[in-house]
């Protein structure tokens, strides 16, 4: 399968190793699944150790190949994390906007990455599950999605199904607070929903823009487009430029 | 992560006895929980083993097997000489009668009748007195069992086992199975009274995964029925080669759960602890903690595609089992991956069965896998890597070359027993083998996976490529391994069958012993790396390093860690859950906080005056005996540093506390020392506090050479009181007599300015506060209780023999004693400050005191301290006459170790040679499994059965019964022999 479609673009294809970190069940795997296959599964199994996925995307005239390491969130898996974030050029640290502790955990991850990981690593902070704190009959959400809602509520214990009126009550991390922290720590910041797709592609777009691609290209020249590297068919590529605008639409509604 | 865990330090490798228990899947009394009716501690029943030949009566066609019979009360166990063909572990309470057989002269044979009528004959081939002793112990142990009343429990227990229904001659269950062949019908789970007759899993109601026809359930069940009739079942299962072969072709779904608990030995826990599971749930009803919270998160995320886990039936069962485990094992609590394991086994077994099986997996089969440090997982990954290096060196080298980490793929294999990696029907067959043959199966399968994919693996470029390749391979396990072969039988072999063949044939060299030895070899490496990881993250998680460098804080951590090892603090404080869920609560993670006793140890590592270093010279050696000092000053410091007033100190508190003194100049130090003694922080010392402060200084200077400090302190006291009195408000304003203190001893008396003046009036004290006080806090590498150096099982063993604290003490005592007799024993207290080396007294500064006052300074309280300078501890210990003998023992055990070494190396090189030979074999050849039956489902049943067995035969290893023909004859005689009398 692989690179035939990209043809000459393969020359410009850059591999970016990206790692996802964050407390258990904040939705790391769901965010990746949304980005890679544009799907959402209500009950995803917890990640054991780590999962690996790839996704190619186009950004302007360049092709990026994200190699995504999705790690396990539980505290005791923490000591395994260095195995996955070594040599990573980017990291997405995820927290759950309905759970204050998850931001604390995110902060310790950021601290660790800034001290232990690749010094040029680009870090994005993503507050996931914003769908839970938005009035639920929001524009564009279909009947089937509100069914999902009920499922999720059971999957995320301690939370009553979100009613339009008190959806915002579920929020435990104010956007401003997290954003202020992100600025202070020099992180990209997003609020996302793996369920609705809101903000997900943007995370990866903005990272792509911020990463010093030329630098990586120069240092990993031999790696890109070699025969063994498993690729995805071109049709599955995400064009970041397009999706970005789609993402913005989602934000506007 | 602000917790400091030292439990890895306390780990002990399983000793011989424990290894035997592991081998026979017998629970050690420690793990069984509070077993009801367990023998009272103290009267440990005696264990013994003896050479024996085992024969099986009844309709069996089994050969007699030579081996060893073990009495491990309350169990009787047997293993054949080759340690793999035959073994059993029988609870003594299943034995109904033991008879000495009347046979030829010189033959000592026992016949055991088991509760369900099975008869086994054991010929004791050791010498007569040994056999007699064995019988005596056996009968003692049997009597104890009788008294414990467990004999009566066997029959009711057997009713909970599915196999009993299976072996009934005209069981409705068995009939039903033969008719529909599918086995999927939960109808007869419920007995007459509506109570479940036998334990079973969710699969009875929600169907078992896989196509029963394809799985050849009916044939497998039939074969098992026959086997269990003759060879016993559940508590009394005897494992003959046929048993292992049947396990290797996959257990039938309905029997699977019971066989898992039987093979793993968790059935003994369930048998010995009736009602425990329900009880622990009842006792902890409504309890909420971190574990239950984490469990709740994952309940809907465990095998979600299996229908039972979309309903309350399955979710509830899963919740209860995981919670019960976490209540029983609060240290481990809940680890992700346990949910997958529990969800998987609950398909095949009841909650109670699953609870005990989980216990055995986490505690015995995969120790430390799911613990908070996951050290077992990390260790086995290291072991796996070393096995790959040994057995598949080309792959290993290639991985190194392209910097691919094995464990990115293999860690989940081990952690979830492949359940998460492969299609479930295949994973369960690996799990079958795992419970029957132990953890080595995980390694064998892992190696086989790599070997089979060898060529492709040599093409990958990075971790990602590795994972992709593995994922593709696992999803193709159901396909033919040889799709292009002209031979239809070869084409019928699936990749999964190929995988098992390679696992158990090519990697048969991997034994339990290999795994044990490898784990021993790498344990320290892993412990060290886990500890240094948690050190780094503890340091990283400090809010501030203050003025220290990272390295210095590291030294503080080391001192703390050592103290915590010796004097463990109470369990880390868990903030109440309520705090965590409110929006603006202060977030606190559980953290280690030390109490006073641990603090003293900590401080003794850092502060020179917080310890008594006795320099002992005895003609053989000079050494420093360190004792932890106890003094009010140290306690005072503890509370001084307890910045959040919790009666305990965190790592951060210690760092901040040390920062408060270690960087001080003269003035800051004087102020610090003042504040330390100003208890109510009102800026004044009371008279009492002035005295306490003087005592503190006396304590600090207790080992200094010469009288300089004593003089200084006495001058200090006089001056302090003189000035204090002089500065008191002269309310009365009366006569000229010395204004004798009109102030209570606990009233504000001396302020900082005055205190400073008094201190500066003295050269000795000035120099102390200028540099010596700060310098008495020293961050030096802590002589940690080092772990034996990694990679050297042998050296490590030697080291620990030599360096065990007891031996060291013995040696010291011994050499001291000799030193005393030859008059060369000398003890000197190392000074804490060490400024004055000679006895000469430095002159006091131009004093403000009258000479008379100076003289009057009381020395009475000081003489005692002075005298300790001269103390020689020559009279401290009297040598017990046994010391020499004991230390001789030490040496002999050392030499034993070194003798053992060549053997160890030999066996290692043998293994290497064997591996080399294996690697040169042609890759898996088709004809190896050539007699595989083609899957014609329409065949007559007999033939289908044969087909199953053919598959089994492919695994068949040579079994050596280890007996001669004559023995065989004898065994036949014995089966039919009459009991004595
Ligand atoms: N409502 C809502 N639910 C979500 C969202 N993202 C994830 N979830 C749900 O949250 C649960 C956890 O999601 P995962 O993606 O498995 O979380 P994770 O961070 O990968 O968890 P670990 O692998 O255990 O570390 C699942 O039940 C998801 O369905 C979201 O954006 N909105
Ligand atoms: Mg995940």
């Amino acid at each position: 399968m692989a690179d035939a479609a990209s043809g000459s673009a393969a020359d410009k294809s850059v591999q970016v190793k990206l790692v996802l970190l964050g407390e258990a069940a904040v939705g790391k795997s769901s965010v990746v699944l949304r980005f890679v296959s544009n799907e959402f599964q209500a009950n995803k199994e917890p990640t054991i150790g780590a999962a690996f996925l790839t996704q190619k995307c186009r950004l302007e005239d360049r092709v990026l190949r994200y190699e995504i390491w999705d790690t396990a969130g539980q505290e005791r898996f923490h000591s395994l994390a260095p195995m996955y974030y070594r040599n990573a050029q980017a990291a997405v640290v995820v927290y759950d906007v309905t759970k204050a502790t998850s931001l604390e955990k995110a902060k310790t991850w950021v601290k660790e990455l800034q001290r232990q990981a690749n010094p040029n690593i680009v870090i994005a902070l993503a507050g996931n599950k914003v769908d839970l704190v938005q009035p639920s009959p929001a524009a564009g959400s279909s009947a089937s999605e509100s069914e999902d809602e009920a499922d999720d509520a059971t999957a995320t214990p301690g939370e009553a199904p979100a009613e339009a009126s008190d959806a915002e009550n579920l929020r435990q991390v104010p956007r401003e607070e997290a954003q202020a922290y992100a600025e202070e720590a020099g992180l990209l910041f997003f609020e996302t929903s793996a369920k609705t797709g809101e903000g997900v592609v943007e995370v990866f777009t903005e990272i792509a823009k911020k990463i010093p691609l030329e630098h990586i290209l120069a240092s990993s020249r031999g790696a890109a487009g070699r025969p063994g590297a498993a690729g995805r068919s071109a049709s599955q590529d995400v064009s970041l430029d397009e999706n970005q605008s789609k993402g913005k639409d989602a934000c506007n509604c | 992560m602000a917790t400091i865990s030292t439990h890895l330090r306390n780990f002990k490798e399983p000793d011989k006895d424990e290894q035997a228990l592991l081998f026979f899947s017998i629970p050690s009394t420690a793990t069984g929980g509070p077993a009801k009716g367990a023998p009272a501690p103290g009267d440990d029943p005696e264990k013994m083993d003896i050479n024996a030949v085992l024969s099986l009566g009844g309709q069996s066609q089994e050969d007699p097997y030579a081996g060893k019979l073990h009495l491990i009360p309350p169990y009787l166990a047997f293993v054949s000489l080759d340690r793999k063909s035959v073994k059993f572990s029988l609870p003594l309470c299943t034995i109904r009668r033991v008879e000495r057989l009347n046979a030829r002269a010189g033959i000592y044979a026992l016949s055991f009748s088991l509760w369900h009528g099975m008869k086994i004959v054991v010929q004791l081939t050791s010498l007569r007195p040994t056999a007699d002793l064995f019988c005596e112990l056996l009968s003692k142990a049997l009597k104890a069992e009788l008294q414990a009343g467990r004999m009566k429990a066997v029959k009711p227990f057997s009713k909970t086992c599915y196999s009993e229904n299976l072996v009934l001659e005209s069981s409705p269950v068995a009939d039903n199975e033969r008719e529909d062949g599918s086995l999927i019908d939960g109808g007869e789970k419920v007995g007459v009274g509506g109570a479940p007759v036998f334990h079973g899993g969710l699969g009875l109601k929600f169907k078992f995964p896989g196509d029963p026809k394809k799985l050849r359930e009916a044939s497998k069940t039939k074969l098992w029925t026959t086997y269990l009739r003759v060879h016993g079942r559940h508590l009394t299962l005897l494992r003959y080669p046929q048993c292992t072969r049947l396990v290797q072709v996959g257990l039938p779904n309905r029997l699977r759960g019971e066989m898992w608990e039987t093979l793993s030995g968790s059935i003994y826990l369930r048998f010995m602890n009736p009602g425990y599971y329900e009880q622990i749930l009842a006792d902890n009803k409504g309890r909420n903690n971190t574990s239950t919270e984490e469990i709740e998160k994952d309940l809907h995320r465990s095998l979600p595609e299996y229908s039972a886990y979309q309903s309350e039936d399955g979710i509830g069962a899963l919740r209860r089992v995981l919670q019960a485990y976490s209540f029983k094992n609060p240290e481990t609590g809940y680890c992700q991956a346990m949910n997958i394991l529990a969800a998987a086994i609950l398909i095949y077994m009841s909650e109670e069965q699953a609870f005990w099986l989980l216990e055995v997996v986490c505690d015995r089969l995969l120790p430390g896998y799911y613990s908070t440090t996951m050290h077992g997982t990390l260790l086995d990954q290291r072991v796996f890597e070393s096995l790959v290096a040994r057995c598949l060196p080309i792959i290993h080298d290639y991985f190194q070359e392209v910097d691919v980490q094995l464990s990115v793929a293999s860690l989940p294999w081990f952690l979830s027993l492949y359940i998460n990696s492969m299609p479930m029907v295949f994973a369960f067959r690996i799990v079958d083998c795992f419970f029957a043959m132990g953890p080595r199966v995980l390694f064998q399968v892992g190696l086989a996976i790599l070997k089979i994919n060898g060529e492709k693996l040599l093409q990958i470029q990075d971790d990602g490529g590795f994972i992709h390749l593995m994922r593709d391979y696992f999803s193709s396990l159901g396909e033919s391994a040889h799709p292009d072969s002209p031979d239809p039988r070869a084409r019928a072999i699936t990749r999964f069958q190929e995988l098992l063949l390679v696992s158990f044939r090519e990697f048969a060299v991997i034994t339990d012993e290999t795994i044990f030895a490898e784990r021993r070899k790498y344990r320290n490496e892993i412990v060290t790396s886990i500890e240094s990881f948690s050190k780094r993250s503890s340091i990283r998680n400090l809010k501030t390093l203050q003025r220290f460098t990272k390295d210095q804080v590291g030294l503080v951590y080391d001192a703390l860690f050592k103290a915590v090892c010796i004097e463990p603090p109470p369990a880390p404080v868990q903030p109440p859950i309520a705090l965590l869920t409110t929006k603006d609560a202060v977030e606190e993670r559980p953290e280690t906080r030390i109490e006073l006793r641990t603090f003293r140890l900590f401080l003794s590592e850092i502060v020179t005056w917080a310890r008594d270093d006795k320099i002992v010279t005895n003609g053989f050696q000079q050494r420093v005996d360190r004792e932890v000092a106890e003094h009010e000053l140290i306690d005072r410091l503890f509370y001084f540093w307890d910045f959040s007033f919790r009666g305990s100190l965190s790592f951060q508190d210690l760092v901040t506390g040390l920062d408060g003194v270690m960087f001080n100049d003269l003035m800051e130090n004087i102020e610090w020392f003042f504040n330390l003694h100003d208890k109510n922080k009102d800026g004044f010392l009371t008279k009492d506090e002035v005295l306490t402060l003087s005592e503190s200084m006396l304590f600090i200077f207790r080992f200094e050479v010469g009288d300089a400090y004593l003089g200084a302190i006495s001058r200090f006291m006089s001056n302090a009181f003189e000035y204090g009195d002089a500065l008191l408000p002269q309310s009365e304003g009366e006569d000229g007599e010395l204004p004798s203190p009109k102030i209570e001893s606990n009233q504000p008396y001396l302020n900082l300015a005055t205190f400073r003046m008094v201190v500066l009036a003295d050269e000795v004290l000035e120099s102390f506060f200028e540099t010596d006080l700060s310098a008495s806090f020293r961050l030096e590498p802590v002589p940690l209780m080092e772990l034996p150096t990694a990679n050297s099982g042998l050296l490590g063993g030697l080291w620990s023999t030599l360096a065990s604290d007891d031996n060291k003490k013995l040696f010291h005592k011994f050499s001291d004693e000799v030193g005393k007799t030859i008059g060369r024993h000398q003890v000197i207290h190392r000074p804490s400050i060490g400024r004055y080396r000679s006895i000469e007294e430095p002159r006091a500064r131009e004093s403000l005191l009258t000479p008379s006052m100076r003289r009057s300074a009381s020395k009475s309280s000081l003489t005692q301290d002075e005298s300790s300078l001269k103390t020689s501890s020559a009279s401290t210990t009297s040598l017990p006459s046994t010391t020499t003998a004991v230390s001789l023992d030490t040496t002999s055990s050392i030499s034993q170790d070194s003798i053992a070494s060549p053997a160890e190396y030999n066996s290692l090189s043998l293994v290497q040679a064997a591996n080399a030979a294996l690697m040169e074999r042609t890759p898996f050849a088709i004809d190896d499994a050539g007699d595989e039956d083609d899957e014609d489902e329409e065949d007559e049943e007999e033939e289908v059965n044969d087909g199953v067995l053919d598959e089994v035969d492919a695994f068949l290893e040579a079994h050596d019964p280890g007996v001669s023909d004559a023995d065989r004859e004898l065994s036949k005689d014995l089966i039919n022999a009459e009991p004595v009398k």
Side-chain angles (χ1 to χ4, degrees), chain A residues 22-31 40-48 70-74 128-132 149 152 155-156 192-196, chain B residues 298 301 336:
Chain A
E23 199 177 81
V26 295
K28 297 179 292 299
S29 305
S30 302
V31 166
F40 178 73
Q41 287 173 11
N43 294 310
K44 260 199 91 34
E45 294 194 2
T47 311
I48 306 301
D70 167 28
T71 64
Q74 204 187 10
N128 191 34
K129 306 198 189 178
V130 272
D131 57 288
L132 291 176
E149 197 89 55
D152 293 348
T156 336
T192 60
S193 165
K195 190 171 166 186
T196 65
Chain B
D298 288 350
R301 309 168 70 201
Q336 290 188 325

Side-chain angles (χ1 to χ4, degrees), chain A residues 1 15 17 23-25 29 42-54 65 67 69 72-87 99-102 104-105 108 111-113 115-116 151 154-155 157 168-174 177 226 228-230 232, chain B residues 1 291 293-294 296-298 300-305 331-340 370-374 377-378 403-405 407-408 411-412 415-416 420 459-465 467-468 471-472 530 533 536-537 539-543 545 550 580-583 587 589:
Chain A
M1 21 179 172
Q15 284 197 38
K17 178 170 173 183
E23 199 177 81
S29 305
N43 294 310
K44 260 199 91 34
E45 294 194 2
T47 311
I48 306 301
F52 176 77
L53 296 101
T54 55
R65 186 162 170 275
E67 303 208 312
W69 290 91
Q74 204 187 10
E75 177 72 44
R76 62 190 75 186
F77 286 80
H78 189 131
S79 63
L80 307 178
M83 178 159 80
Y84 304 109
Y85 66 61
R86 67 181 188 135
N87 308 327
K99 202 154 173 284
T101 43
S102 67
E104 291 312 308
K105 182 69 202 174
T108 65
K111 230 172 164 182
E112 175 163 345
L113 286 171
R115 299 217 192 147
Q116 309 285 144
D151 282 345
T154 49
E168 191 66 18
N169 284 351
L170 280 176
R171 189 186 270 275
Q172 285 191 5
V173 181
E177 180 193 326
R226 72 191 152 215
R232 292 187 167 254
Chain B
M1 200 176 55
S291 299
E293 220 181 49
E294 288 174 334
E296 217 57 38
K297 257 186 215 165
D298 288 350
H300 291 267
R301 309 168 70 201
S302 318
L303 307 187
E305 68 281 8
E331 285 259 305
T332 303
Y334 166 73
C335 176
Q336 290 188 325
M338 279 166 69
N339 62 326
I340 306 221
Y370 307 105
S371 75
T372 47
T373 52
M374 300 184 74
T377 305
L378 297 171
D403 192 22
V404 165
Q405 281 199 19
S407 39
V408 294
L411 186 133
L415 207 54
S416 68
N420 221 23
Q459 309 282 311
I460 59 164
Q461 298 296 329
D462 52 23
D463 290 345
I467 294 216
H468 265 302
R471 196 185 301 160
D472 291 348
I530 291 176
F533 180 85
R536 262 182 292 140
S537 56
I539 294 174
R540 200 168 41 235
N541 286 328
L542 285 175
K543 288 201 184 65
L545 298 186
K550 237 195 210 161
L580 292 176
T581 44
T582 49
K583 257 186 202 173
E587 295 303 341
R589 320 202 129 260

